Amino acid sequence: MANSRFEYVKSFEQSDVLLPNTWIVVRIDGRGFHKLSDHYAFTKPNDRRALDLMNAAAVEVMKELPDLCIAYGVSDEYSFVFHPNCQLFERRNGKLVTTIVSTFTAHYIYKWSEYFPDRPLLPPHLPSFDGRAVIYPNNRILRDYMSWRQVDCHINNLYNTTFWTMVLQGGMSNTDAEQELKGTVSADKNEILFKRFGINYNNELEIYKKGTVLYRQYELEEPKPTKSFTDEESVESKQSRSQQDKIRKLRRKAQVVIDHVDIIRDEFWEKRPWILSGNPGKLPV
Ligand code: ATP
Ligand code: ATP
Ligand code: MG
Ligand code: MG
């Protein structure tokens, strides 16, 4: 290190280390995607290419950062989850968030032309993302966080599907559709879709109704009903650096899968105990 009289400025940097032994969720969200989706003529309410592009970029993030256990995406947002025993960047908030945001954005832009070959990206309409890290103290609350995002996906998608069907198929104006939907509950929207347009919401694509979950694939396990995954604390011992390197290598070998399933009920987590435990499972043969 070169000694200079300017070096003291380093001491102005403040620590932003996240609490140990807690789940870290980095949620990123597209900036101004309402406008961006108009500009590039995304299909309403769900542009499949845009969702596939989000998922493809997120898979690359999962591949580059083996410390990630699971990710969940909907619309222009993605939540990336680090295990409580993660030691990446000594758990520094800024480093974790900026690495995820920039890696994701780089891949999103790199892959854009593959998904939108006839709509080249041009300034000033370039996609960018914000990001934040939130820590959650135990498995139950982490799962509640994931459930919160998936419920949000469901509520928004039912609303958007009904709204855009009323506008695009029903010929209603945006304001009239909005007015009619004010104060309605899920059952009302299901009924509008079915009675007026013959659409059974249940038959909509899972990717739209459930969002997307990414995780590393190992052999599924039989759910063990005796073990409670909701109360169990996830960390007991601190892993050594060599243990962590070994686990990281094993994780890199697993395939990252793209799934559209319920992550609110226990079943998803019980069949894939490696997600909450952080211990890689058996690679499928
Ligand atoms: P902010 O910068 O505050 O996040 P925003 O315009 O991005 O503002 P969001 O609440 O994040 O607002 O909503 C994202 C918007 O992007 C959606 O409301 C929708 O209009 C659009 N959008 C995102 N993904 C898609 C998609 N796959 N298909 C169609 N529209 C989409
Ligand atoms: P900001 O980005 O300015 O912090 P935000 O928290 O609304 O605002 P998002 O990350 O875009 O930013 O929001 C994520 C989700 O949280 C959105 O679906 C939004 O509707 C919802 N949300 C925002 N505020 C609240 C709140 N106070 N309580 C519950 N849900 C909220
Ligand atoms: Mg946004
Ligand atoms: Mg959003």
Side-chain angles (χ1 to χ4, degrees):
M1 207 192 302
N3 275 318
S4 84
R5 67 188 176 89
F6 305 116
E7 235 179 67
Y8 75 97
V9 295
K10 179 77 177 151
S11 68
F12 281 63
E13 291 181 15
Q14 290 186 307
S15 167
D16 63 349
V17 170
L18 293 165
L19 274 187
N21 288 358
T22 50
W23 292 96
I24 301 171
V25 176
V26 175
R27 182 172 73 250
I28 67 169
D29 187 283
R31 293 184 57 216
F33 263 48
H34 190 71
K35 236 177 115 187
L36 188 110
S37 62
D38 270 351
H39 182 79
Y40 292 105
F42 285 13
T43 316
K44 294 293 173 184
N46 290 300
D47 189 296
R48 182 63 198 259
R49 300 161 299 176
L51 291 176
D52 288 342
L53 173 57
M54 288 290 292
N55 295 340
V59 166
E60 295 305 322
V61 173
M62 289 282 284
K63 283 196 207 155
E64 280 188 42
L65 298 167
D67 293 80
L68 289 167
C69 317
I70 185 166
Y72 176 77
V74 47
S75 179
D76 67 339
E77 73 166 60
Y78 241 99
S79 298
F80 294 94
V81 182
F82 291 104
H83 196 266
N85 63 23
C86 166
Q87 293 303 324
L88 184 63
F89 303 132
E90 281 80 44
R91 300 173 69 85
R92 287 158 66 186
N93 187 329
K95 298 266 275 187
L96 290 167
V97 173
T98 54
T99 300
I100 296 254
V101 167
S102 60
T103 306
F104 184 92
T105 308
H107 285 288
Y108 188 94
I109 289 174
Y110 179 70
K111 287 177 183 285
W112 175 274
S113 62
E114 199 182 308
Y115 293 86
F116 291 95
D118 48 350
R119 299 246 164 208
L121 272 183
L122 282 175
H125 305 282
L126 295 181
S128 60
F129 294 82
D130 69 25
R132 73 194 68 185
V134 183
I135 52 170
Y136 297 103
N138 58 40
N139 291 6
R140 181 181 57 83
I141 301 182
L142 187 264
R143 279 193 47 189
D144 283 348
Y145 171 81
M146 303 297 276
S147 300
W148 174 51
R149 297 325 301 142
Q150 193 165 52
V151 168
D152 220 57
C153 168
H154 167 73
I155 292 170
N156 290 334
N157 190 57
L158 178 59
Y159 181 93
N160 292 337
T161 304
T162 315
F163 175 88
W164 284 106
T165 305
M166 289 161 85
V167 171
L168 298 176
Q169 290 186 39
M172 286 174 81
S173 73
N174 289 19
T175 30
D176 285 350
E178 197 182 317
Q179 204 54 40
E180 192 180 334
L181 286 175
K182 225 175 234 168
T184 56
V185 296
S186 294
D188 304 326
K189 296 185 190 78
N190 275 306
E191 193 172 296
I192 292 175
L193 283 174
F194 194 70
K195 290 228 170 107
R196 258 188 248 172
F197 303 99
I199 295 171
N200 183 344
Y201 181 75
N202 289 331
N203 297 339
E204 294 291 298
L205 291 183
E206 294 299 303
I207 185 175
Y208 303 152
K209 287 186 294 180
K210 300 233 166 48
T212 299
V213 56
L214 307 181
Y215 53 87
R216 296 175 210 285
Q217 186 68 292
Y218 300 105
E219 271 180 23
L220 291 183
E221 297 191 14
E222 278 302 313
K224 294 189 191 78
T226 47
K227 210 169 172 189
S228 162
F229 281 87
T230 46
D231 305 324
E232 192 191 0
E233 295 301 322
S234 47
V235 246
E236 316 84 29
S237 59
K238 212 175 161 190
Q239 292 164 331
S240 68
R241 198 158 275 253
S242 62
Q243 261 175 314
Q244 280 171 36
D245 287 346
K246 206 176 130 196
I247 288 180
R248 214 172 265 146
K249 266 190 205 134
L250 284 171
R251 287 202 183 131
R252 276 193 201 279
K253 283 196 186 140
Q255 205 195 334
V256 175
V257 292
I258 299 182
D259 219 344
H260 316 291
V261 291
D262 183 294
I263 55 169
I264 298 171
R265 280 178 285 141
D266 293 339
E267 192 195 359
F268 172 83
W269 305 92
E270 288 178 349
K271 281 187 169 167
R272 301 168 186 80
W274 61 85
I275 295 173
L276 289 178
S277 74
N279 301 318
K282 249 192 258 161
L283 283 174
V285 272

